Amino acid sequence: AEARAEGARFVLFLCGVQTVTWPRARDLALLARREGIRVVAGGVHLSAHAPSVDFLVSCGVPVAIGEVEPLWDDLLEDLLE
């Protein structure tokens, strides 16, 4: 709350989500969204499992499919705007 009062903005990146870590990544994403924190997720599981992607997107979580490294700068700018 103190950081928000000072104007801080937060983005949670859930990177490298694999099938075994999917349930925990999903839960962290939902908890962060509930607190108003922006979340972006990506990883092997999400690149291969459309139902998981659809679920996160329906919860307001953008998902990076495939290699995200070339997009980091643009992605961060978009999120912070």
Side-chain angles (χ1 to χ4, degrees):
E2 183 178 325
R4 281 196 183 122
E6 294 178 10
R9 296 179 288 174
F10 300 93
V11 178
L12 172 63
F13 287 96
L14 297 169
C15 303
V17 176
Q18 298 181 19
T19 300
V20 70
T21 62
W22 159 246
R24 183 68 176 143
R26 178 201 58 222
D27 293 348
L28 289 171
L30 296 178
L31 286 169
R33 290 299 300 139
R34 187 179 316 146
E35 294 299 319
I37 297 171
R38 293 182 179 267
V39 180
V40 177
V44 175
H45 176 82
L46 297 171
S47 290
H49 195 253
S52 297
V53 172
D54 293 342
F55 175 77
L56 286 180
V57 170
S58 76
C59 296
V61 177
V63 176
I65 302 296
E67 299 297 324
V68 73
E69 287 82 0
L71 308 173
W72 278 126
D73 293 341
D74 293 334
L75 182 61
L76 283 171
E77 280 182 33
D78 288 349
L79 284 168
L80 294 174
E81 288 178 10

